[in-house]
Amino acid sequence: MDFGAVLQTNPPSARTVQLAKLAEEHGFSHVWTFDSHLLWQEPYVIYSKILAETRKVIVGPMVTNPATRDWTVTASTYATLNEMYGNRTICGIGRGDSAVRVTNGAPTTLKSLRESIHVIRELANSRSVEYNGATLQFPWSTGSKLDVWVAAYGPLALKLTGEVGDGFILQMADLDVAEWMIKTVRNAAEAAGRDPMAVKFCVAAPMYIGDDIEHMRDQCRWFGGMVGNHVADIVSKYGTDSAVPKALTDYIKGREGYDYNEHGRAGNTHADFVPDEIVDRFCVMGTADQHIEKLKALKELGVDQFAGYLQHDNKEETLRVYGETVIPALSEHIVAKA
C-alpha cells in the first residue's frame, strides 16, 4: 500500500513545502493538495517548489475539476512539471466542489468530466488529441507521463471512473462504502473491456494519531460536512432509495447548508450535523494499532493507496508515527501475503 499526505495550500507556502518534505522523509510516496484558487493559494505554483526540494514524492491535486482552468492549460502545467522534475505528477479530478461553488457555479456534467480527462491525459502524455475541432499536441513535450485518477460517489460517476479512470479516489474510509464502490468501479471497468484490476484505488480521509477520541472527532468532523456536499447532490438526483449505501445518505438529513469559507477546516461550524458514528466510520483515528487495523482492512478490499488529510492540530506527530510504525506495518503486511 502506498501512502499520501493531503495538504491545504494555506499561507505561508513555505509551511506547505515543509510538510511535504516531512511527509517524504517519513515514507509517504504522494503529496496531494486541495485545489480551490479562491480559498487557498495556487497549488501548481507550490508543486514546483515541492518537487524542487524533494527527491521522489509525487504531487497532484485532490482534486481539480474541468471548470476552473482550460483543459489544455492544465495539461501543459503537468507536462512542464514533468519535464522539469521527471514525471512526478498525478492528476486527481472530479466534477468540482468548492472551486466552483464558491463562485456560485455548479459541478460540471459527467460528459465534460469524461472529455476533460481524455484531453488532459493525452496532452500530458505527449500525445495528440482532438479538441474544439483542432488536432493539438505540445511540440515541446516528449516522454511526459501522467495518470488521471477520478473522484466519484454517485452511480454514474463511478461507472465513468471504471470506464476511463487510471485510478479511483474515494474520499472516505468507511469499509462498507469502500467495498461497494470498489466493486462498482471494477464492474464498470470490466463491462468496458478493461482489466478491472488495472484501476488503482485510493481511499482519502483524515488521519489523526492520538488517544482523546472526543478531541479527534471534533478535529475531523469537518470531513463529514465536506463529504455531505457530494452526498446531497446524490440524494437530490437519485433520492434516498438508490443503490448508494444508506451509511452514505442517511446522515445528511440534518444538514442545513454549508459555508465554503470554512471548507476543510477543523472546527467548521457547518459540520455540527455530522454524528460521531459517521466521523468514526469516515476517518482513521486513534492509536497506531487502530490505524493499522483499519488500513489492513482497506488493503484487503483492494485499496492501493491511503491518502491522509492533515487538516487538524497534530500534523507532525501523525506523520512521525506513520513513518515509524504505520507504514512499516503495512509494508510487512504486504510481504507476509506474498
Side-chain angles (χ1 to χ4, degrees), residues 112-317:
S112 291
L113 177 59
R114 181 187 296 268
E115 292 172 352
S116 72
I117 291 168
H118 177 64
V119 171
I120 292 169
R121 180 164 52 206
E122 294 306 294
L123 288 174
N125 279 280
S126 302
R127 297 190 291 259
S128 65
V129 71
E130 295 295 316
Y131 180 65
N132 286 344
T135 301
L136 305 178
Q137 186 169 5
F138 298 138
W140 46 265
S141 176
T142 58
S144 179
K145 302 292 184 185
L146 180 75
D147 282 348
V148 180
W149 292 13
V150 185
Y153 291 99
L156 291 179
L158 293 170
K159 180 175 179 289
L160 179 152
T161 302
E163 292 170 347
V164 303
D166 297 308
F168 165 49
I169 297 172
L170 170 58
Q171 289 166 301
M172 72 172 67
D174 184 282
L175 295 173
D176 293 334
V177 175
E179 183 176 17
W180 176 76
M181 289 195 175
I182 289 172
K183 181 180 179 181
T184 301
V185 170
R186 281 190 172 146
N187 287 344
E190 186 171 20
R194 304 179 66 198
D195 177 2
M197 303 307 293
V199 181
K200 297 294 185 181
F201 290 93
C202 173
V203 161
M207 57 178 180
Y208 194 121
I209 292 287
D211 54 17
D212 184 340
I213 186 62
E214 294 303 324
H215 180 72
M216 290 187 291
R217 284 170 175 162
D218 288 344
Q219 286 287 298
C220 297
R221 199 175 307 275
W222 64 267
F223 184 70
M226 184 184 82
V227 172
N229 297 323
H230 302 285
V231 176
D233 287 340
I234 294 172
V235 172
S236 176
K237 182 169 184 175
Y238 299 102
T240 57
D241 297 322
S242 69
V244 180
K246 291 290 186 181
L248 186 56
T249 59
D250 284 355
Y251 85 96
I252 66 162
K253 292 176 181 178
R255 181 176 178 271
E256 298 180 351
Y258 191 81
D259 182 358
Y260 276 92
N261 290 309
E262 293 187 334
H263 189 60
R265 293 184 182 177
N268 183 335
T269 58
H270 292 79
D272 290 344
F273 72 93
V274 181
D276 289 346
E277 178 191 2
I278 289 296
V279 181
D280 295 348
R281 292 182 64 159
F282 284 13
C283 304
V284 183
M285 305 177 298
T287 64
D289 286 343
Q290 289 172 313
H291 283 243
I292 292 166
E293 180 182 8
K294 188 164 190 177
L295 292 173
K296 283 184 176 180
L298 287 168
K299 174 65 181 175
E300 293 292 336
L301 293 177
V303 174
D304 299 288
Q305 181 182 153
F306 173 65
Y309 286 88
L310 285 169
Q311 285 65 59
H312 55 64
D313 60 5
N314 201 31
K315 297 175 177 62
E316 284 86 354
E317 178 64 6

Side-chain angles (χ1 to χ4, degrees), residues 92-109:
I93 192 169
R95 293 174 57 222
D97 183 30
S98 59
V100 294
R101 296 187 202 263
V102 77
T103 60
N104 289 325
T108 64
T109 64

